[in-house]
Amino acid sequence: MSLSGDGSYSLFSGRGLRHTECAYYFMIPELSRIIPKISALFGKSPDSLHVAPMRHGSVERESVWRVTVDGQNYALKQHIVASPIGDSAFTPFEVESAVLSTLRDAGCSVPTIVWRSDADFCLLLDWRGESTLDDLAQAAPLGSLNAVTTNALGEFCQIEKSFADRRADLAPFVYTLDYPAYLRQTMQGIIDRGRKTMGYLAQLCGAPSASDLDELWSNLAPSLHGNSGTLGALDYNARNVMVDVNSISFVDFGGIGWDWSERRIVQYFNSLGSNREGGNFINLLNQEVIGAYANRALTYRSGISEEDIFVQLDYHNILFYLSVVHRLLEAVAQPTREKNRALLNGWGDAEARLARALEILVNSELSDDPSAQQIREWVLPFL
């Protein structure tokens, strides 16, 4: 779950797709073996299929292609990892195949498997549109996106509920971890990073004091640790939400496991605009769309109230952007380190990125929680 969105990829990309009129696939050894199988499926000659690589902004993705047959588009995905990861019993290809079939049967808006090749670890999927939510957020006025975001959160609810309802069926495909210990350790790391970042900002402006920060962070921690995880996808970012004219779909289910709903939502609905000229952070969450989510989520999520959902989303959003600030400061301080160089290449102007992250921290009032409001007040001097 890379903050840059580059740790793993969406199946589709809406910008900069290149069609080729030649037999592009002969340039790629894997495609030279796979495309003839697909052409046989449709009763066509291989030369009649148009194949184009997917792109995320300026970056061309490997192992994901658009295949056009008689004017009809499909997405071809080949899983690079051909063996189970860790102690898992299934490969990512097998996991995604099973999860997509299960979610489709449950009425979720996810890609349909048109064809699969176990030997090649390939899925041919129906086309889910030209634009990702990341594309749309970077191009459209923020005020115009409430309806899209609300509809997408509705689809998220359908998927989340289906994971809960079909937990037993999906259990064999869950990534193997000691989830209580993993989530506890992960949350503590997120909390500690946020506290460290706030401490650094406090040093720059002379306030708040370390004791004030410690007291506030001690108030945040129990609530965050007390929130239960839900079963769902383990790769969540705005490039994995496809927006078509009449539908919204979620893609990329090669790994599933337990995580917090609020963390998934924050990362699905914050556009990073990576590898895009002029790209910057766009937060699509506000109290109106969170309210719509809460109304639906409370029908299937137990042990949580509407107020809890608002506060948890507010906390997760704050900690997400404090993590962003931490990564940017670290990258600027040590720009030659490989991971920092990749981050700066993907995000572009670090100063503009930092300014936007701080702006979102201050202005995204997702709840009326006093601790969240206090953090926003402390960050305000940096705008």
Side-chain angles (χ1 to χ4, degrees), residues 291-307:
Y293 165 72
N295 285 338
R296 291 195 59 175
L298 290 174
T299 65
Y300 61 84
R301 287 184 65 183
S302 60
I304 193 168
S305 68
E306 181 179 59
E307 182 182 0

Side-chain angles (χ1 to χ4, degrees), residues 301-363:
R301 287 184 65 183
S302 60
I304 193 168
S305 68
E306 181 179 59
E307 182 182 0
D308 291 335
I309 290 174
F310 275 87
V311 172
Q312 288 291 325
L313 278 167
D314 204 358
Y315 286 175
H316 274 270
N317 200 63
I318 287 170
L319 291 173
F320 175 75
Y321 275 101
L322 285 175
S323 293
V324 166
V325 171
H326 181 272
R327 287 294 313 277
L328 282 166
L329 295 176
E330 183 182 66
V332 170
Q334 298 178 302
T336 59
R337 293 185 63 184
E338 183 178 354
K339 68 172 185 176
N340 293 340
R341 186 167 60 250
L343 183 80
L344 293 172
N345 287 340
W347 283 359
D349 187 340
E351 184 175 348
R353 288 277 180 171
L354 182 59
R356 179 64 65 82
L358 293 170
E359 178 187 358
I360 290 174
L361 267 170
V362 170
N363 294 326

Side-chain angles (χ1 to χ4, degrees), residues 106-108 153-163 296 300:
C108 297
L153 274 166
E155 294 295 346
F156 177 87
C157 286
Q158 178 67 25
I159 291 170
E160 188 172 60
K161 183 178 185 301
S162 297
F163 268 108
R296 291 195 59 175
Y300 61 84

Side-chain angles (χ1 to χ4, degrees), residues 39-52:
S39 64
L41 173 72
F42 291 101
K44 302 290 181 180
S45 69
D47 289 342
S48 69
L49 274 60
H50 295 165
V51 184

Side-chain angles (χ1 to χ4, degrees), residues 22-177:
C22 64
Y24 169 86
Y25 65 87
F26 284 121
M27 300 164 58
I28 309 294
E30 290 83 358
L31 289 181
S32 66
R33 182 179 66 253
I34 296 165
I35 292 300
K37 298 179 182 180
I38 296 175
S39 64
L41 173 72
F42 291 101
K44 302 290 181 180
S45 69
D47 289 342
S48 69
L49 274 60
H50 295 165
V51 184
M54 300 294 186
R55 299 182 69 85
H56 281 166
S58 61
V59 175
E60 186 174 293
R61 291 300 183 188
E62 297 178 356
S63 304
V64 192
W65 302 273
R66 182 211 296 247
V67 178
T68 306
V69 184
D70 288 341
Q72 179 68 48
N73 291 319
Y74 301 89
L76 173 64
K77 177 177 181 179
Q78 182 182 42
H79 281 271
I80 299 173
V81 179
S83 58
I85 300 173
D87 295 328
S88 297
F90 297 95
T91 67
F93 165 78
E94 292 169 325
V95 172
E96 182 152 44
S97 299
V99 173
L100 285 178
S101 296
T102 300
L103 293 179
R104 284 293 297 173
D105 289 346
C108 297
S109 186
V110 297
T112 300
I113 299 174
V114 178
W115 171 84
R116 59 179 281 177
S117 171
D118 292 39
D120 300 307
F121 302 98
C122 276
L123 294 173
L124 187 69
L125 306 168
D126 67 334
W127 190 250
R128 289 282 154 167
E130 295 291 335
S131 295
T132 68
L133 187 60
D134 187 69
D135 295 327
L136 198 62
Q138 294 294 318
L142 181 59
S144 69
L145 296 176
N146 262 18
V148 171
T149 304
T150 300
N151 289 339
L153 274 166
E155 294 295 346
F156 177 87
C157 286
Q158 178 67 25
I159 291 170
E160 188 172 60
K161 183 178 185 301
S162 297
F163 268 108
D165 291 344
R166 289 157 177 79
R167 177 178 168 182
D169 295 335
L170 293 170
F173 304 100
V174 172
Y175 186 75
T176 305
L177 279 176

